[in-house]
Amino acid sequence: MQMHATSLLIGVSGKRELGSNTSGVCRSTVAIFGHLDREFPHTPKVLLSSLAVGADRIAAQEALKRNGWSVVAVLPLAAELYCEDFDEAAAIEFRTLLAHERVRTYVLPPLLDPASGVPFARESLHRKAGISNPSRSQHYEQSGLFIARASMLMLAVMDASEMPGRVGGTARIARYRVTGSMDEVACDVTERSAVLTPPSPLDMAHPRPLLLIDLAAMPTTPPATPFAIFDGAGKHRLDDRLQSRRCFQLPRALELFNRQSASGRADANAPQDSAQALRSSRTSVTRLQARAVTRVRQSVSILAALFAAAVTSWEVYVERAHIHDGYLGIGFYVGLVCAAIGLYLIARHMLWQPIADDYRAVAEALRVQIAWWEAGLAGPDHRVDAHYLARGQGSLGLVRQAIAAMIDAATLLFAPPRRVPDSEALWIDAQIAFFCDRTARRERRLLMVELSSWFLFLSSLGAASVLLVLEVLRMGGPLSMAGQSDGPILATIFIGAAVPLLVVLILLARSRPGAIMHLTGVGKPLLKPQTWLLSLIVGAVIATGIARLSVDPDVAETVIGVMLISTAAIGGAIRYLADALSWEAELHGYSDALDVFRTARSALADNAVSGRAEREKEQRRRAILTALGRKALAENESWLRAHRERPLQPVVGA
């Protein structure tokens, strides 16, 4: 059995009375759904509809005729109460739709009664003949707001010029969708809802486009443009490429995700609840993240290698007077620089680094959401998208929407998450083990960077010192005894003495980083004198060996010059590699996160053995896990904002 693909949630809100426009709405709905099938063939489509008479029901009936489509009936009231809105024939049709095998019923919980502070009683929500019931209208408002928030795409069937009026009406829901802001009535409904999250006072409005079937234009709407993209400022037909690209940006990203993650996602068990479904989605995200990170690391490593090679080839060209066919150096230099620029432009155009960081952001946010759900924290306040990237705009806003879409799909299509005993301990212990391992790895890697880059820089200085002596003592100096019979022997001794020193340092750095740090003083303001001296000696010994081995002093100086320049270039490339991949910043992040999770583990352990009442212990446990999740999200958001916005750069810009 295959793991489920993340579904595209499509909301609908429309007028109940369509009159002569009924057939036109049907044709436009067919055309819209056909367009979505062609654009997103790998993505399951789920229609969110309240199944009201009119446009809502037309859309649901059309969705059920299509392969790969299903319907979630988001009911504002219990089915029996909701049926009071329909005549006998419409009620029978409603129950028939609910019984369909591809229809899942999701009844929204009742709002809190402002008079009593408890959910509305069933008796107060009945429809009364000839008398309006504001409580029912407020529940319709809740349903419309829920669909507008949860849907990745939303279809509205109304007159484009209609002003918002009736509570729960399509015009009000459409205004919320395209402005992202709520008026006093909508805020009141949200605060009394058990499924809607009140926006933070510091959060920004997040307008989202609306697919509009304009009833006023229905008689003249040509078949080629069955809907307009409405953004609150005006409407744009389907052939407006810019608006179409913006409107379908997130669904296209979801289609790409489903297509890329389709291979190799076999699973022995289908998800049983929303937490398992979200874990399945996270597994796919993590797999794609690993691929993206590998691509970024490879591109950075290649850029560093091209930089070092280009510098070396330039030095060969500069020394062409001493080397036959030195023009090849400038040829290699031009080719290597062009290759580096080409790779850099490809990486920028393909957004390799932002994509890798986006996958990481989604994976970490879903990790917190799963942990909250399995720990029994499943209320609207425990949705990570309510806290993560709250003020994200542009592409960061799309990351937040993608996270929300995955959570909504899991919530609407699967059973509520089940509490998993000791899940918080498993989460915290796994994170502590992860960060301990990553911290140790990063420390070793940074140690190698620090040691190797300084070693190469100072070895280059040692070789330069020998080159300086050769220039001063060119004629008859003791270091220019090239051609003597003992030249090759002494060269072998010099070089042979340097190589073992380098090998020993590398082995110590990998096996006993503490010992090598103590030896070299890595991590301190200045390296220990023995490290400086050792590096200088190694460079000088190798350069002296080259001078002894060569029969031509000019060639010896040229080779030493190329060696010292290439050595320094390799050291700079290593530094660039560590900086571009943010190893040091990651180490600090891992250390901070490790401290947070250890503190949480200690706090939970103290709470478990405290003398508090069980209810107080549970409240304390929930508070600790809530704070831990928010802290983890804040740390990840800080890292994302600091690194995602900084694109991959060539070495010269580092």
Side-chain angles (χ1 to χ4, degrees), residues 225-543:
T225 55
F227 66 91
I229 299 170
F230 191 74
D231 60 7
K235 56 183 179 179
H236 312 268
R237 290 297 170 188
L238 179 60
D239 56 359
D240 188 319
R241 295 183 179 179
L242 178 60
Q243 291 296 326
S244 178
R245 185 168 64 251
R246 291 175 178 172
C247 179
F248 294 110
Q249 187 174 7
L250 187 56
R252 287 195 178 106
L254 179 61
E255 169 71 10
L256 178 62
F257 168 73
N258 284 329
R259 187 169 67 248
Q260 290 180 340
S261 60
S263 59
R265 58 172 161 191
D267 191 8
N269 300 308
Q272 299 299 315
D273 60 29
S274 51
Q276 292 183 9
L278 206 61
R279 192 182 299 279
S280 173
S281 297
R282 187 182 179 278
T283 299
S284 297
V285 171
T286 304
R287 186 184 301 115
L288 294 178
Q289 179 204 2
R291 297 179 191 172
V293 169
T294 299
R295 186 166 51 226
V296 171
R297 289 175 179 171
Q298 290 174 344
S299 60
V300 171
S301 300
I302 293 173
L303 282 174
L306 290 174
F307 163 75
V311 171
T312 301
S313 63
W314 174 258
E315 180 62 19
V316 171
Y317 168 69
V318 170
E319 300 289 348
R320 67 189 184 278
H322 305 301
I323 299 179
H324 182 63
D325 292 337
Y327 68 88
L328 292 176
I330 190 62
F332 280 117
Y333 175 81
V334 171
L336 292 169
V337 171
C338 289
I341 294 174
L343 177 59
Y344 167 69
L345 293 177
I346 291 173
R348 285 294 300 269
H349 177 72
M350 301 299 292
L351 302 176
W352 287 347
Q353 182 173 329
I355 288 174
D357 290 338
D358 288 351
Y359 279 133
R360 169 177 172 161
V362 174
E364 293 305 311
L366 295 185
R367 186 202 302 275
V368 174
Q369 187 66 73
I370 294 168
W372 274 350
W373 278 354
E374 293 184 341
L377 309 180
D381 290 338
H382 292 98
R383 283 183 58 108
V384 296
D385 56 301
H387 312 285
Y388 190 57
L389 296 173
R391 296 183 63 83
Q393 296 291 314
S395 56
L396 289 180
L398 288 176
V399 173
R400 185 190 190 191
Q401 291 179 28
I403 294 168
M406 289 183 172
I407 296 172
D408 288 325
T411 301
L412 292 169
L413 298 178
F414 295 90
R418 294 174 293 182
R419 170 76 183 276
V420 178
D422 298 326
S423 63
E424 56 266 35
L426 296 175
W427 172 37
I428 293 173
D429 290 345
Q431 288 295 95
I432 289 176
F434 171 82
F435 288 123
C436 283
D437 177 69
R438 287 303 178 94
T439 299
R441 290 187 183 183
R442 285 293 181 268
E443 286 178 346
R444 288 195 297 268
R445 190 167 291 177
L446 286 172
L447 173 62
M448 291 297 299
V449 169
E450 189 81 3
L451 182 61
S452 59
S453 59
W454 274 107
F455 178 84
L456 291 169
F457 288 142
L458 295 174
S459 297
S460 176
L461 179 60
S465 301
V466 172
L467 190 60
L468 175 62
V469 174
L470 287 176
E471 288 291 340
V472 174
L473 304 176
R474 175 186 292 271
M475 301 303 297
L479 293 177
S480 62
M481 293 185 296
Q484 295 187 10
S485 59
D486 61 345
I489 298 176
L490 291 176
T492 303
I493 294 175
F494 283 132
I495 298 175
V499 172
L501 290 174
L502 180 60
V503 172
V504 169
L505 286 175
I506 293 175
L507 292 178
L508 278 176
R510 293 186 63 85
S511 61
R512 301 186 62 187
I516 197 67
M517 290 180 70
H518 178 73
L519 173 66
T520 61
V522 173
K524 298 181 180 179
L526 291 175
L527 296 174
K528 285 187 176 180
Q530 59 263 34
T531 306
W532 288 70
L533 183 60
L534 179 63
S535 302
L536 290 169
I537 290 174
V538 169
V541 166
I542 294 176

Side-chain angles (χ1 to χ4, degrees), residues 115-193:
S116 63
V118 298
F120 275 103
R122 181 186 181 91
E123 293 73 19
S124 61
L125 296 176
H126 281 293
R127 185 180 183 88
K128 300 176 182 179
I131 302 176
S132 64
N133 187 344
S135 299
R136 288 178 69 94
S137 298
Q138 292 168 3
H139 283 77
Y140 299 152
E141 180 89 358
Q142 177 185 224
S143 175
L145 292 173
F146 181 88
I147 291 175
R149 188 209 66 184
S151 56
M152 195 175 297
L153 293 174
M154 186 165 183
L155 175 64
V157 182
M158 55 177 282
D159 190 328
S161 61
E162 180 180 350
M163 298 299 295
R166 182 173 58 86
V167 174
T170 298
R172 286 180 54 81
I173 304 306
R175 182 185 63 178
Y176 165 69
R177 174 76 180 188
V178 300
T179 64
S181 59
M182 296 185 291
D183 60 14
E184 184 176 349
V185 174
C187 288
D188 176 65
V189 169
T190 300
E191 291 173 355
R192 294 189 287 120
S193 172

